[in-house]
C-alpha cells in the first residue's frame, strides 16, 4: 500500500531477553519490593517502641486491688493517725495531701510502692469496721501527673470532678473505682462495695 509506512527491521543492537532473564528480573523486582516493605515495617516498629506507653490510673487502681485480692499490705508508714501520716508524707517523702477520713472504716497506714514501674505514689489503706474488708485509696499529685504523660486519668472523671465534693464512678470488670480531686491531688478508691456506698463514706464527697 502506498500510504502504509514501511515496517523497519529492528536495530542491530537490540537484544531480546530470554525467558530465564525475564524471570530473574521479575524476582529481583519482587525481592526489592519485599526489602522495602521490611524496612518500612522495621521503621514503624522502632517508632512504636520509642513511643511512651500510656497507663490509665483508674484501671491500674483496679488492677492493684485485684492482684492483692483486696487484702491489706504491709505499710511503709504504720500508723492509725491521719495527722501523723500527713506529716510523715510531707516531711520524709515530699508529698503534701489530705488523708481522707472515712465513716465506718479505720485508717491503717500508708504503703509506698510503684504504682507503675518507676512511679511511686501513696496507697492509703483502710479497714471496714467489724469486717475484714479493706479499702484502697491512691493519691497522685496532679502537677506531677501533668509532667508524666504516660499516666492518664479517666477523661470523664476529669471533666466531672471540678470541686472537692464531686466524684466519678467507673465500673471496671464489676468493681467500682471512685475518682475525685481534692486541692492539687487526684484520688482513686476501690473496695468490694459499690461506688455510691464508698463515696458516702468519704468526707467531703456528697
Amino acid at each position: 500500500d502506498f500510504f502504509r509506512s514501511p515496517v523497519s527491521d529492528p536495530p542491530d543492537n537490540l537484544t531480546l531477553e530470554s525467558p530465564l532473564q525475564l524471570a530473574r528480573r521479575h524476582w529481583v523486582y519482587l525481592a526489592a519490593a519485599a526489602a522495602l516493605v521490611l524496612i518500612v515495617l522495621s521503621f514503624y516498629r522502632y517508632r512504636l517502641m520509642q513511643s511512651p506507653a500510656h497507663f490509665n490510673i483508674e484501671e491500674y487502681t483496679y488492677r492493684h486491688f485485684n492482684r492483692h485480692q483486696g487484702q491489706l499490705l504491709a505499710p511503709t508508714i504504720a500508723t492509725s493517725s491521719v495527722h501523723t501520716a500527713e506529716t510523715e508524707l510531707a516531711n520524709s517523702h515530699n508529698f503534701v495531701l489530705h488523708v481522707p477520713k472515712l465513716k465506718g472504716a479505720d485508717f491503717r497506714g500508708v504503703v509506698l510502692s510503684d504504682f507503675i514501674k518507676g512511679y511511686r505514689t501513696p496507697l492509703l489503706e483502710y479497714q471496714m469496721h467489724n469486717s475484714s474488708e479493706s479499702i484502697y485509696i491512691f493519691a497522685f499529685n496532679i502537677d506531677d501527673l501533668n509532667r508524666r504523660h504516660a499516666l492518664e486519668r479517666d477523661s470523664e472523671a476529669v471533666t466531672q470532678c471540678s470541686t472537692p465534693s464531686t466524684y466519678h464512678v467507673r465500673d471496671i470488670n464489676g468493681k467500682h473505682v471512685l475518682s475525685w480531686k481534692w486541692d492539687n491531688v487526684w484520688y482513686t478508691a476501690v473496695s468490694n462495695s459499690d461506688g455510691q456506698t464508698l463515696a458516702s463514706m468519704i468526707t467531703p464527697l456528697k
Side-chain angles (χ1 to χ4, degrees), residues 35-136:
L36 181 61
V37 169
L38 287 175
I39 291 172
V40 172
L41 289 177
S42 298
F43 172 76
Y44 279 107
R45 182 173 180 270
Y46 172 79
R47 290 292 301 271
L48 184 63
M49 292 177 64
Q50 295 300 311
S51 299
H54 293 279
F55 305 93
N56 182 270
I57 288 174
E58 281 72 17
E59 289 180 5
Y60 269 75
T61 295
Y62 159 78
R63 289 191 187 189
H64 283 289
F65 188 80
N66 187 58
R67 180 183 301 122
H68 299 294
Q69 299 179 333
Q71 300 299 310
L72 292 176
L73 306 179
T76 308
I77 303 174
T79 181
S80 59
S81 167
V82 167
H83 176 72
T84 299
E86 290 175 345
T87 302
E88 181 72 12
L89 283 168
N91 293 343
S92 300
H93 303 282
N94 197 30
F95 205 110
V96 178
L97 58 78
H98 300 289
V99 175
K101 295 180 179 179
L102 273 61
K103 293 176 290 185
D106 296 318
F107 178 59
R108 293 299 189 192
V110 182
V111 179
L112 287 169
S113 61
D114 282 359
F115 185 74
I116 60 171
K117 186 176 181 180
Y119 183 81
R120 178 169 292 194
T121 200
L123 163 59
L124 314 175
E125 295 189 303
Y126 299 79
Q127 186 169 11
M128 302 279 286
H129 290 170
N130 304 316
S131 172
S132 61
E133 295 288 329
S134 62
I135 299 168
Y136 286 13

Side-chain angles (χ1 to χ4, degrees), residues 6-12:
V7 178
S8 59
D9 294 330
D12 294 337

Side-chain angles (χ1 to χ4, degrees), residues 142-168:
I142 292 177
D143 289 338
D144 197 26
L145 288 180
N146 292 336
R147 287 190 295 266
R148 297 173 182 267
H149 300 294
L151 280 167
E152 297 177 339
R153 294 175 285 165
D154 184 275
S155 57
E156 290 186 8
V158 172
T159 301
Q160 189 169 333
C161 301
S162 56
T163 67
S165 62
T166 55
Y167 61 89
H168 178 267

